[in-house]
Amino acid sequence: MSIQKMIKAIKNNIEMNHPILLPYLLMIQRRSIKPVCDWPLEKAIAGDMKSYKRHMGYTFDINNPILFTEKLQWYKFFYHRDDFSQITDKFLFKQYISQQLGEGYTIPVYNSWTRVDDLEKDWHSLPEEFVLKANLQSDGRNIKIIHKKSDIIFSKIKNTLKAWLDKRNTLANSWDYNFYRGTPRILAEKYMENLADQLFDYKFFCFNGEPYCMYVAQEHFDKGNYPISFYDLHWNRLDVRYGGHLVGDAPRPAHFDEMIEISKRLSKGFPFVRVDFFDTDEKLYVAELTFAPGGGVTPYHPRSFNEKLGELFVLPEKNSKSV
């Protein structure tokens, strides 16, 4: 029986008051749908525009964007660079930063794997404490902190790790072209004791090598509407709210001036990029480069802030490719 016939049969049974079959229908449907990276460009753009309208409440002409969030939709599909597959990969990104800044600016990594069986073979070589991450994810998803490896029964986490490598569970299944050429993998990072109690992520909005402002995400890995506070480059609080997030307050980071200088270096040549940092008393670490924060579907309040960022965001010539 074909997948489509199976779906039809299950649907018919659900209509006959057998809702227990609903999870099986959802599983079959999910496995029968190709990840967005395999869709034609036009279909992916149409899906993105529906998502934008669902989140933002209106639609617009993607070929004539004005607001920052609108321009991010254009950016996701029509701005391409050969090094994007390296920059957006949380493993290869570390090599990119070392090329740009030298060694020591990212959290050390032990190894990476594209197959869970290979990770299992290498499990014995990893230290007792480390962090597992999926390379094509964001916002704290698909991260597992291993505090005591000897207590872990690998067979119990194997299926979870396999799911991390399914493209449908990665940002290759998002509305962002820059992840579509990435290869899903799992990396093992050093567990940083001096970052364990750090509550803040520092994120700089940069346009062609010029940081404009930044925000601090407090307790980022907690679920819910964690506090976010915006600041200018002189550490003055800005009256800006991001989506439904709470508005918090944060201390000026120890390496704030160095963050600004590094943001200038890393953002040079990009129409827009958000440069993200972790900070400790001893040193800072570059966390990632983000080209479409929140997928561009989270509103900024007031609207004038979205307008201002849109003015600063000068889009390049369209470089369209098939998705």
Side-chain angles (χ1 to χ4, degrees), residues 204-207 209-213 233 259-261 263-264 267:
F204 287 74
F205 288 63
C206 306
F207 302 89
E210 292 297 329
Y212 172 69
C213 67
L233 300 187
M259 288 180 185
I260 294 175
E261 291 307 311
S263 293
K264 290 179 179 179
S267 63

Side-chain angles (χ1 to χ4, degrees), residues 115-125:
R115 297 175 66 251
V116 173
D117 287 343
D118 293 335
L119 167 55
E120 186 174 17
K121 291 176 185 177
D122 292 336
W123 190 250
H124 70 281
S125 66

Side-chain angles (χ1 to χ4, degrees), residues 5-220:
K5 287 183 178 179
M6 290 173 67
I7 292 173
K8 185 176 180 180
I10 294 175
K11 280 184 175 179
N12 289 337
N13 277 300
I14 289 175
E15 291 168 1
M16 293 164 56
N17 299 316
H18 291 285
I20 195 171
L21 294 174
L22 180 58
Y24 297 98
L25 170 64
L26 296 176
M27 180 182 69
I28 293 171
Q29 285 182 319
R30 179 181 170 278
R31 292 188 177 278
S32 67
I33 297 174
K34 292 181 179 180
V36 178
C37 61
D38 293 330
W39 291 13
L41 176 62
E42 294 75 13
K43 181 179 178 180
I45 291 175
D48 177 63
M49 295 302 288
K50 288 179 181 178
S51 174
Y52 189 90
K53 184 176 182 180
R54 184 169 64 253
H55 285 89
M56 305 293 279
Y58 73 97
T59 190
F60 67 96
D61 180 0
I62 195 170
N63 292 307
N64 294 286
I66 297 174
L67 301 180
F68 176 66
T69 52
E70 296 172 0
K71 289 186 176 183
L72 286 177
Q73 309 314 310
W74 187 99
Y75 204 47
K76 290 188 295 185
F77 289 103
F78 299 118
Y79 181 62
H80 310 304
R81 287 173 44 137
D82 291 338
D83 54 6
F84 267 166
S85 58
Q86 179 184 19
I87 296 172
T88 56
D89 182 310
K90 282 182 165 52
F91 175 67
L92 300 178
F93 163 80
K94 296 174 185 291
Q95 301 170 17
Y96 176 82
I97 293 301
S98 67
Q99 293 164 3
Q100 302 299 313
L101 302 178
E103 298 295 330
Y105 284 94
T106 60
I107 296 174
V109 64
Y110 297 113
N111 206 343
S112 76
W113 304 266
T114 58
R115 297 175 66 251
V116 173
D117 287 343
D118 293 335
L119 167 55
E120 186 174 17
K121 291 176 185 177
D122 292 336
W123 190 250
H124 70 281
S125 66
L126 293 169
E128 186 72 356
E129 191 171 39
F130 57 95
V131 179
L132 289 176
K133 284 184 177 180
N135 67 321
L136 300 180
Q137 263 300 353
S138 64
D139 291 332
R141 291 188 290 269
N142 293 1
I143 295 176
K144 187 173 183 63
I145 299 175
I146 307 295
H147 286 297
K148 194 174 181 181
K149 185 184 69 173
S150 55
D151 287 344
I152 300 295
I153 300 173
F154 192 85
S155 60
K156 290 187 176 182
I157 66 171
K158 191 169 184 177
N159 286 337
T160 296
L161 298 179
K162 282 184 176 180
W164 288 8
L165 296 177
D166 186 333
K167 278 195 172 183
R168 289 165 294 196
N169 298 325
T170 73
L171 291 174
N173 196 29
S174 72
W175 311 118
D176 193 336
Y177 179 92
N178 295 315
F179 289 95
Y180 294 174
R181 291 175 293 167
T183 299
R185 70 180 77 217
I186 296 170
L187 61 146
E189 279 187 347
K190 181 178 180 180
Y191 177 74
M192 305 295 287
E193 188 68 41
N194 58 351
L195 285 177
D197 296 324
Q198 296 297 311
L199 300 178
F200 308 110
D201 294 349
Y202 304 92
K203 304 172 183 290
F204 287 74
F205 288 63
C206 306
F207 302 89
N208 279 312
E210 292 297 329
Y212 172 69
C213 67
M214 56 86 68
Y215 77 69
V216 184
Q218 187 172 346
E219 302 174 5
H220 185 184

Side-chain angles (χ1 to χ4, degrees), residues 194 198 254-255 279-283:
N194 58 351
Q198 296 297 311
H255 299 92
D279 198 28
T280 71
D281 291 338
E282 297 79 24
K283 64 182 301 182

